Amino acid sequence: MAGTLGRFDGAVAQTQGAAWCQLAAAGLAPTPFAGEDNSFLIAFAGVPGFPDRELADVARQRGLIAALAAGYRRWRDDLAKHLTGQYSISVIDREQRSLYLAVDRFATHPIVFRSTAGGLMFGSTLDALVQGSDKDLELDPQAIFSYVYFHVIPGPDTVYAGVRRLLAGESLTFQNEKLALQTYWVPVFREQEKAPFTELKQGFIDALRNAVKTTSESEACGCFLSGGTDSSTIAGLLGEVSGAPARTYSIGFEAAGYDEMEYARIAAKQFKTDHHEYYVTPADVAEAIPRIAQVYDQPFGNSSAVPTFFCARFAQQDGIRKLLGGDGGDELFGGNERYAKQHVFAHYDRVPGFLKSLLEPVLFNVPGMDNIAPLRKVKSYVEQAKVSMPARLETYNLLDRFGIAKVFSADFLARVRPDQPIEHLSSVYHGTKAGTQLNRMLALDFKITLTDNDLPKVSRMCEL
């Protein structure tokens, strides 16, 4: 897919007295709104929000470009700390001859960038950078290895060497040929606060209701509906806040064990939605796979992109312009089974060392342990519990289980670090401001599951 491309050249700024930026847009990626305000050239995608009342008034009266300019004039490189919503922004300061880039707290609208001779090239997609580059970009073997390991390429890496993308909650400043990255937001877990359950419950429901209300007001809005807890909750709230039956859309498969339509129908009946169903055929999938592959600008292996595309297309044909979805509910609220599973494994950390020294030699060195079912289970438990977090989450990783030497050639493996994926997980997991295993896992899922996986899956398929 094409996208939006920008260039910033500090050398031109010095010779001509003004920084310059070229912005070109094409294809499916969100086209930014661009404008000038005094010495600033500003472009943004999405809808940045302004908690500051003064800036909110500027946005209402003079528009978002003027509000972003006023905010940048006040806070400079800390601008993103004072924004909410889903956005990516670029600000070129002609007087300071500097460039500022930022994405929101989940990098909903991505920015990729690479250094050039004396400047910086940046864009909304890798395709835009490839088309705008004066030479061919080289594939990064490490990124390819990470893709096979994770089925996505975790940021900040991309499939091209020398091309990075801004991480969620990150901004970039480029001035005097120097690039500086700043993490302006990380999740903070307030683990010691106590409140009555009824108060927490009402606050939770109010937050969900407000989110559905504010995101559904601007356009004809519907809802993905799988029948699970998350999408069903959103469907019910959408009908409540709109005062009309929510328009819900479900995809089915004529295959035993894969069709969840029964659950979607239960939810649709419960919340009295205006429900729509479509059953995907093998011919549909064969026709869609090339289009789906083409719209991703680097390898992406989430197979549920296929039903997401058909559900989005089905809704668009019905006049819907925006779809709310339940993706991410488990990762936001701790609903996945793996959180409970890892809690069970964590109990082993509290077993006294002298007991471990007695138990482990028996389990792993005495012949015949695998032939006794209860002991086989204990051995499997200890084997996994002995692996430290977050590496324990990858105990069943297919690449490790199959063997990297059977997947990659020796020449390729000589160009990569096979332990880099685990190092990446560890840096996120242990860099989280949290005191409990559960919250560190949630923060890891914010980064890997949501930002690198679920959001690209849904947003790209809706763009397509």
Side-chain angles (χ1 to χ4, degrees):
M1 66 186 291
T4 306
L5 176 68
R7 305 173 193 266
F8 176 80
D9 193 331
V12 173
Q14 294 171 8
T15 58
Q16 297 184 358
W20 69 272
C21 179
Q22 172 192 346
L23 284 169
L28 294 166
T31 302
F33 298 92
E36 299 185 56
D37 190 284
N38 297 327
S39 62
F40 303 134
L41 175 61
I42 297 174
F44 71 91
V47 185
F50 303 92
D52 181 87
R53 183 175 300 177
E54 181 181 336
L55 288 189
D57 290 340
V58 173
R60 282 191 296 269
Q61 297 167 15
R62 296 171 47 204
L64 292 175
I65 293 291
L68 289 169
Y72 185 75
R73 190 174 292 110
R74 184 191 303 182
W75 294 301
R76 311 301 296 184
D77 299 345
D78 287 330
L79 171 61
K81 293 180 181 179
H82 302 275
L83 300 177
T84 59
Q86 303 174 6
Y87 64 85
S88 62
I89 57 174
S90 68
V91 181
I92 290 184
D93 186 333
R94 289 192 176 91
E95 293 179 357
Q96 298 297 319
R97 298 170 182 170
S98 65
L99 167 69
Y100 176 76
L101 303 174
V103 294
D104 64 47
R105 297 177 180 187
F106 281 90
T108 314
H109 297 279
I111 292 180
V112 294
F113 62 93
R114 63 179 287 259
S115 297
T116 60
L120 197 77
M121 180 180 292
F122 59 97
S124 60
T125 67
L126 286 171
D127 286 348
L129 251 66
V130 170
Q131 294 174 15
S133 298
D134 54 3
K135 60 179 180 180
D136 292 338
L137 300 178
E138 296 183 1
L139 296 177
D140 182 356
Q142 188 69 57
I144 294 172
F145 184 90
S146 293
Y147 167 70
V148 177
Y149 193 92
F150 291 115
H151 309 298
V152 300
I153 299 175
D157 294 337
T158 73
V159 74
Y160 294 109
V163 180
R164 296 184 53 174
R165 68 178 187 265
L166 285 181
L167 294 173
E170 191 172 54
S171 63
L172 174 157
T173 301
F174 186 83
Q175 188 176 29
N176 298 325
E177 300 186 23
K178 294 182 179 179
L179 187 153
L181 293 168
Q182 175 189 8
T183 300
Y184 69 84
W185 179 84
V186 294
V188 177
F189 297 89
R190 298 192 293 268
E191 297 165 323
Q192 305 306 317
E193 292 187 6
K194 302 294 183 182
F197 177 78
T198 54
E199 179 182 324
L200 293 172
K201 175 183 176 181
Q202 190 58 50
F204 173 66
I205 294 173
D206 290 345
L208 284 178
R209 182 182 291 110
N210 182 65
V212 172
K213 185 176 188 298
T214 55
T215 55
S216 63
E217 290 176 331
S218 58
E219 300 177 276
C221 187
C223 181
F224 289 101
L225 182 60
S226 68
T229 301
D230 304 321
S231 65
S232 299
T233 299
I234 292 172
L237 288 172
L238 181 58
E240 179 184 321
V241 302
S242 66
R247 294 163 71 180
T248 54
Y249 298 85
S250 300
I251 293 299
F253 297 91
E254 295 284 4
Y258 290 91
D259 186 29
E260 298 179 334
M261 195 69 80
E262 176 186 354
Y263 303 107
R265 289 168 181 160
I266 293 172
K269 181 179 180 180
Q270 170 68 26
F271 295 115
K272 299 179 174 59
T273 73
D274 178 8
H275 189 54
H276 305 77
E277 300 176 355
Y278 181 78
Y279 272 80
V280 177
T281 68
D284 286 333
V285 176
E287 182 267 335
I289 287 289
R291 298 181 62 195
I292 291 173
Q294 187 176 24
V295 82
Y296 287 102
D297 54 2
Q298 63 179 0
F300 185 77
N302 189 331
S303 61
S304 61
V306 176
T308 302
F309 164 69
F310 282 106
C311 200
R313 188 176 70 172
F314 184 37
Q316 185 207 40
Q317 292 168 347
D318 195 43
I320 293 295
R321 300 299 303 163
K322 178 184 287 185
L323 276 173
L324 306 184
D327 287 84
D330 285 323
E331 291 76 20
L332 288 171
F333 306 118
N336 273 323
E337 182 182 354
R338 64 175 176 272
Y339 302 128
K341 182 178 180 180
Q342 294 305 324
H343 178 71
V344 172
F345 284 128
H347 290 317
Y348 192 69
D349 292 336
R350 292 188 284 273
V351 175
F354 77 92
L355 287 180
K356 292 180 181 178
S357 65
L358 295 175
L359 176 64
E360 292 176 11
V362 174
L363 291 175
F364 296 110
N365 298 327
V366 175
M369 287 294 108
D370 291 339
N371 298 326
I372 306 174
L375 293 179
R376 185 169 63 246
K377 289 185 177 182
V378 173
K379 179 181 177 182
S380 175
Y381 169 84
V382 173
E383 277 182 326
Q384 295 180 69
K386 281 167 56 67
V387 180
S388 61
M389 288 288 285
R392 191 164 66 226
L393 296 169
E394 299 299 326
T395 303
Y396 291 95
N397 186 284
L398 290 177
L399 181 58
D400 284 339
R401 294 220 153 209
F402 195 69
I404 61 174
K406 295 181 180 180
V407 178
F408 297 107
S409 68
D411 290 343
F412 181 88
L413 290 175
R415 302 166 62 195
V416 303
R417 292 193 299 111
D419 57 350
Q420 194 273 343
I422 293 297
E423 291 178 2
H424 176 72
L425 292 179
S426 295
S427 67
V428 177
Y429 182 85
H430 293 294
T432 298
K433 295 181 179 179
T436 65
Q437 175 179 278
L438 172 61
N439 285 337
R440 285 191 290 270
M441 289 179 66
L442 289 173
L444 188 62
D445 273 334
F446 288 0
K447 169 69 184 69
I448 301 294
T449 308
L450 298 187
T451 303
D452 292 332
N453 197 329
D454 284 351
L455 273 170
K457 176 193 74 176
V458 178
S459 61
R460 289 290 172 93
M461 291 302 92
C462 287
E463 289 168 18
L464 178 59

